[in-house]
PDB file of all heavy atoms in Angstrom:
ATOM      1  N   SER L   1     135.673 139.166  99.437  1.00  0.00           N
ATOM      2  CA  SER L   1     135.275 138.970  98.057  1.00  0.00           C
ATOM      3  C   SER L   1     133.862 138.403  98.014  1.00  0.00           C
ATOM      4  O   SER L   1     133.201 138.271  99.040  1.00  0.00           O
ATOM      5  CB  SER L   1     136.262 138.034  97.346  1.00  0.00           C
ATOM      6  OG  SER L   1     136.022 138.041  95.962  1.00  0.00           O
ATOM      7  N   PHE L   2     133.403 138.056  96.845  1.00  0.00           N
ATOM      8  CA  PHE L   2     132.052 137.546  96.649  1.00  0.00           C
ATOM      9  C   PHE L   2     132.073 136.411  95.635  1.00  0.00           C
ATOM     10  O   PHE L   2     133.020 136.268  94.855  1.00  0.00           O
ATOM     11  CB  PHE L   2     131.128 138.679  96.172  1.00  0.00           C
ATOM     12  CG  PHE L   2     131.054 139.804  97.156  1.00  0.00           C
ATOM     13  CD1 PHE L   2     131.892 140.894  97.042  1.00  0.00           C
ATOM     14  CD2 PHE L   2     130.179 139.758  98.216  1.00  0.00           C
ATOM     15  CE1 PHE L   2     131.846 141.935  97.961  1.00  0.00           C
ATOM     16  CE2 PHE L   2     130.125 140.777  99.150  1.00  0.00           C
ATOM     17  CZ  PHE L   2     130.956 141.863  99.022  1.00  0.00           C
ATOM     18  N   ASP L   3     131.043 135.595  95.616  1.00  0.00           N
ATOM     19  CA  ASP L   3     130.935 134.510  94.644  1.00  0.00           C
ATOM     20  C   ASP L   3     131.106 135.062  93.237  1.00  0.00           C
ATOM     21  O   ASP L   3     130.617 136.133  92.913  1.00  0.00           O
ATOM     22  CB  ASP L   3     129.579 133.816  94.758  1.00  0.00           C
ATOM     23  CG  ASP L   3     129.416 133.055  96.063  1.00  0.00           C
ATOM     24  OD1 ASP L   3     130.441 132.750  96.707  1.00  0.00           O
ATOM     25  OD2 ASP L   3     128.264 132.769  96.441  1.00  0.00           O
ATOM     26  N   GLY L   4     131.811 134.335  92.410  1.00  0.00           N
ATOM     27  CA  GLY L   4     132.001 134.726  91.024  1.00  0.00           C
ATOM     28  C   GLY L   4     133.178 135.652  90.787  1.00  0.00           C
ATOM     29  O   GLY L   4     133.422 136.070  89.666  1.00  0.00           O
ATOM     30  N   CYS L   5     133.925 135.989  91.837  1.00  0.00           N
ATOM     31  CA  CYS L   5     135.054 136.912  91.684  1.00  0.00           C
ATOM     32  C   CYS L   5     136.382 136.200  91.452  1.00  0.00           C
ATOM     33  O   CYS L   5     137.419 136.845  91.353  1.00  0.00           O
ATOM     34  CB  CYS L   5     135.161 137.827  92.900  1.00  0.00           C
ATOM     35  SG  CYS L   5     133.944 139.143  92.886  1.00  0.00           S
ATOM     36  N   SER L   6     136.367 134.888  91.360  1.00  0.00           N
ATOM     37  CA  SER L   6     137.561 134.088  91.070  1.00  0.00           C
ATOM     38  C   SER L   6     138.656 134.226  92.123  1.00  0.00           C
ATOM     39  O   SER L   6     139.835 134.194  91.806  1.00  0.00           O
ATOM     40  CB  SER L   6     138.115 134.442  89.690  1.00  0.00           C
ATOM     41  OG  SER L   6     137.136 134.245  88.701  1.00  0.00           O
ATOM     42  N   LEU L   7     138.272 134.407  93.378  1.00  0.00           N
ATOM     43  CA  LEU L   7     139.227 134.508  94.483  1.00  0.00           C
ATOM     44  C   LEU L   7     138.772 133.570  95.602  1.00  0.00           C
ATOM     45  O   LEU L   7     138.218 134.004  96.608  1.00  0.00           O
ATOM     46  CB  LEU L   7     139.317 135.951  94.990  1.00  0.00           C
ATOM     47  CG  LEU L   7     139.887 136.932  93.971  1.00  0.00           C
ATOM     48  CD1 LEU L   7     139.507 138.352  94.312  1.00  0.00           C
ATOM     49  CD2 LEU L   7     141.384 136.781  93.888  1.00  0.00           C
ATOM     50  N   PRO L   8     139.008 132.254  95.438  1.00  0.00           N
ATOM     51  CA  PRO L   8     138.443 131.268  96.361  1.00  0.00           C
ATOM     52  C   PRO L   8     138.980 131.315  97.790  1.00  0.00           C
ATOM     53  O   PRO L   8     138.307 130.869  98.703  1.00  0.00           O
ATOM     54  CB  PRO L   8     138.795 129.934  95.698  1.00  0.00           C
ATOM     55  CG  PRO L   8     140.009 130.228  94.888  1.00  0.00           C
ATOM     56  CD  PRO L   8     139.841 131.649  94.414  1.00  0.00           C
ATOM     57  N   ASN L   9     140.161 131.856  98.028  1.00  0.00           N
ATOM     58  CA  ASN L   9     140.736 131.849  99.380  1.00  0.00           C
ATOM     59  C   ASN L   9     140.498 133.141 100.143  1.00  0.00           C
ATOM     60  O   ASN L   9     141.077 133.338 101.203  1.00  0.00           O
ATOM     61  CB  ASN L   9     142.232 131.546  99.300  1.00  0.00           C
ATOM     62  CG  ASN L   9     142.497 130.170  98.727  1.00  0.00           C
ATOM     63  OD1 ASN L   9     141.754 129.238  98.989  1.00  0.00           O
ATOM     64  ND2 ASN L   9     143.536 130.049  97.939  1.00  0.00           N
ATOM     65  N   ILE L  10     139.656 134.023  99.612  1.00  0.00           N
ATOM     66  CA  ILE L  10     139.338 135.294 100.272  1.00  0.00           C
ATOM     67  C   ILE L  10     137.930 135.174 100.857  1.00  0.00           C
ATOM     68  O   ILE L  10     136.995 134.820 100.146  1.00  0.00           O
ATOM     69  CB  ILE L  10     139.409 136.469  99.272  1.00  0.00           C
ATOM     70  CG1 ILE L  10     140.756 136.524  98.559  1.00  0.00           C
ATOM     71  CG2 ILE L  10     139.092 137.781  99.969  1.00  0.00           C
ATOM     72  CD1 ILE L  10     141.932 136.819  99.452  1.00  0.00           C
ATOM     73  N   PRO L  11     137.747 135.464 102.152  1.00  0.00           N
ATOM     74  CA  PRO L  11     136.418 135.327 102.752  1.00  0.00           C
ATOM     75  C   PRO L  11     135.435 136.357 102.197  1.00  0.00           C
ATOM     76  O   PRO L  11     135.829 137.431 101.758  1.00  0.00           O
ATOM     77  CB  PRO L  11     136.670 135.566 104.245  1.00  0.00           C
ATOM     78  CG  PRO L  11     137.934 136.366 104.300  1.00  0.00           C
ATOM     79  CD  PRO L  11     138.749 135.943 103.114  1.00  0.00           C
ATOM     80  N   SER L  12     134.155 135.996 102.210  1.00  0.00           N
ATOM     81  CA  SER L  12     133.133 136.957 101.789  1.00  0.00           C
ATOM     82  C   SER L  12     132.656 137.723 103.016  1.00  0.00           C
ATOM     83  O   SER L  12     132.908 137.345 104.143  1.00  0.00           O
ATOM     84  CB  SER L  12     131.965 136.239 101.118  1.00  0.00           C
ATOM     85  OG  SER L  12     131.339 135.378 102.042  1.00  0.00           O
ATOM     86  N   GLY L  13     131.985 138.831 102.782  1.00  0.00           N
ATOM     87  CA  GLY L  13     131.454 139.616 103.885  1.00  0.00           C
ATOM     88  C   GLY L  13     131.457 141.094 103.585  1.00  0.00           C
ATOM     89  O   GLY L  13     131.829 141.528 102.496  1.00  0.00           O
ATOM     90  N   THR L  14     131.023 141.859 104.563  1.00  0.00           N
ATOM     91  CA  THR L  14     130.973 143.309 104.459  1.00  0.00           C
ATOM     92  C   THR L  14     131.528 143.908 105.733  1.00  0.00           C
ATOM     93  O   THR L  14     131.802 143.193 106.692  1.00  0.00           O
ATOM     94  CB  THR L  14     129.528 143.807 104.259  1.00  0.00           C
ATOM     95  OG1 THR L  14     128.763 143.412 105.404  1.00  0.00           O
ATOM     96  CG2 THR L  14     128.895 143.221 103.010  1.00  0.00           C
ATOM     97  N   GLY L  15     131.673 145.214 105.768  1.00  0.00           N
ATOM     98  CA  GLY L  15     132.146 145.865 106.973  1.00  0.00           C
ATOM     99  C   GLY L  15     132.581 147.290 106.706  1.00  0.00           C
ATOM    100  O   GLY L  15     132.728 147.698 105.552  1.00  0.00           O
ATOM    101  N   ALA L  16     132.763 148.041 107.765  1.00  0.00           N
ATOM    102  CA  ALA L  16     133.133 149.452 107.648  1.00  0.00           C
ATOM    103  C   ALA L  16     134.593 149.644 107.267  1.00  0.00           C
ATOM    104  O   ALA L  16     134.961 150.675 106.736  1.00  0.00           O
ATOM    105  CB  ALA L  16     132.842 150.165 108.966  1.00  0.00           C
ATOM    106  N   LYS L  17     135.435 148.659 107.537  1.00  0.00           N
ATOM    107  CA  LYS L  17     136.852 148.764 107.215  1.00  0.00           C
ATOM    108  C   LYS L  17     137.258 147.628 106.295  1.00  0.00           C
ATOM    109  O   LYS L  17     136.716 146.530 106.387  1.00  0.00           O
ATOM    110  CB  LYS L  17     137.702 148.703 108.491  1.00  0.00           C
ATOM    111  CG  LYS L  17     137.543 149.899 109.382  1.00  0.00           C
ATOM    112  CD  LYS L  17     138.474 149.798 110.557  1.00  0.00           C
ATOM    113  CE  LYS L  17     138.376 151.014 111.439  1.00  0.00           C
ATOM    114  NZ  LYS L  17     139.292 150.925 112.576  1.00  0.00           N
ATOM    115  N   GLY L  18     138.209 147.904 105.442  1.00  0.00           N
ATOM    116  CA  GLY L  18     138.698 146.888 104.530  1.00  0.00           C
ATOM    117  C   GLY L  18     138.284 147.194 103.108  1.00  0.00           C
ATOM    118  O   GLY L  18     137.850 148.301 102.791  1.00  0.00           O
ATOM    119  N   ALA L  19     138.410 146.202 102.246  1.00  0.00           N
ATOM    120  CA  ALA L  19     138.091 146.409 100.835  1.00  0.00           C
ATOM    121  C   ALA L  19     137.509 145.143 100.235  1.00  0.00           C
ATOM    122  O   ALA L  19     137.879 144.037 100.608  1.00  0.00           O
ATOM    123  CB  ALA L  19     139.352 146.798 100.066  1.00  0.00           C
ATOM    124  N   SER L  20     136.576 145.317  99.316  1.00  0.00           N
ATOM    125  CA  SER L  20     136.046 144.213  98.532  1.00  0.00           C
ATOM    126  C   SER L  20     136.911 144.083  97.293  1.00  0.00           C
ATOM    127  O   SER L  20     137.256 145.085  96.662  1.00  0.00           O
ATOM    128  CB  SER L  20     134.601 144.489  98.135  1.00  0.00           C
ATOM    129  OG  SER L  20     133.780 144.548  99.269  1.00  0.00           O
ATOM    130  N   ILE L  21     137.274 142.859  96.941  1.00  0.00           N
ATOM    131  CA  ILE L  21     138.127 142.646  95.777  1.00  0.00           C
ATOM    132  C   ILE L  21     137.475 141.658  94.823  1.00  0.00           C
ATOM    133  O   ILE L  21     136.699 140.795  95.236  1.00  0.00           O
ATOM    134  CB  ILE L  21     139.536 142.178  96.170  1.00  0.00           C
ATOM    135  CG1 ILE L  21     139.493 140.851  96.930  1.00  0.00           C
ATOM    136  CG2 ILE L  21     140.241 143.243  96.979  1.00  0.00           C
ATOM    137  CD1 ILE L  21     140.860 140.273  97.213  1.00  0.00           C
ATOM    138  N   CYS L  22     137.795 141.812  93.546  1.00  0.00           N
ATOM    139  CA  CYS L  22     137.261 140.934  92.516  1.00  0.00           C
ATOM    140  C   CYS L  22     138.200 140.986  91.312  1.00  0.00           C
ATOM    141  O   CYS L  22     138.845 142.004  91.069  1.00  0.00           O
ATOM    142  CB  CYS L  22     135.865 141.409  92.115  1.00  0.00           C
ATOM    143  SG  CYS L  22     134.921 140.201  91.182  1.00  0.00           S
ATOM    144  N   MET L  23     138.273 139.898  90.589  1.00  0.00           N
ATOM    145  CA  MET L  23     139.067 139.864  89.366  1.00  0.00           C
ATOM    146  C   MET L  23     138.251 140.487  88.231  1.00  0.00           C
ATOM    147  O   MET L  23     137.082 140.142  88.054  1.00  0.00           O
ATOM    148  CB  MET L  23     139.457 138.427  89.019  1.00  0.00           C
ATOM    149  CG  MET L  23     140.328 137.755  90.068  1.00  0.00           C
ATOM    150  SD  MET L  23     141.872 138.610  90.394  1.00  0.00           S
ATOM    151  CE  MET L  23     142.788 138.192  88.926  1.00  0.00           C
ATOM    152  N   ILE L  24     138.861 141.424  87.515  1.00  0.00           N
ATOM    153  CA  ILE L  24     138.214 142.064  86.376  1.00  0.00           C
ATOM    154  C   ILE L  24     139.214 142.077  85.215  1.00  0.00           C
ATOM    155  O   ILE L  24     140.408 141.882  85.432  1.00  0.00           O
ATOM    156  CB  ILE L  24     137.734 143.493  86.700  1.00  0.00           C
ATOM    157  CG1 ILE L  24     138.917 144.424  86.997  1.00  0.00           C
ATOM    158  CG2 ILE L  24     136.738 143.490  87.862  1.00  0.00           C
ATOM    159  CD1 ILE L  24     138.532 145.885  87.077  1.00  0.00           C
ATOM    160  N   PRO L  25     138.751 142.328  83.994  1.00  0.00           N
ATOM    161  CA  PRO L  25     139.695 142.408  82.882  1.00  0.00           C
ATOM    162  C   PRO L  25     140.775 143.461  83.149  1.00  0.00           C
ATOM    163  O   PRO L  25     140.481 144.578  83.588  1.00  0.00           O
ATOM    164  CB  PRO L  25     138.820 142.787  81.693  1.00  0.00           C
ATOM    165  CG  PRO L  25     137.465 142.223  82.050  1.00  0.00           C
ATOM    166  CD  PRO L  25     137.361 142.426  83.536  1.00  0.00           C
ATOM    167  N   ALA L  26     142.036 143.105  82.895  1.00  0.00           N
ATOM    168  CA  ALA L  26     143.163 143.993  83.181  1.00  0.00           C
ATOM    169  C   ALA L  26     143.040 145.331  82.457  1.00  0.00           C
ATOM    170  O   ALA L  26     143.398 146.376  83.011  1.00  0.00           O
ATOM    171  CB  ALA L  26     144.472 143.305  82.810  1.00  0.00           C
TER     172      ALA L  26
END
């Protein structure tokens, strides 16, 4: 995840595998 995504226990970062997550309006 990234700063401002409201997911404090998820590490930030990038990479070829995996997924970036963020809280958005439902």
Side-chain angles (χ1 to χ4, degrees):
S1 191
F2 300 94
D3 292 341
C5 283
S6 303
L7 295 160
N9 297 324
I10 305 295
S12 63
T14 61
K17 292 184 178 181
S20 295
I21 61 174
C22 195
M23 298 301 286
I24 65 170

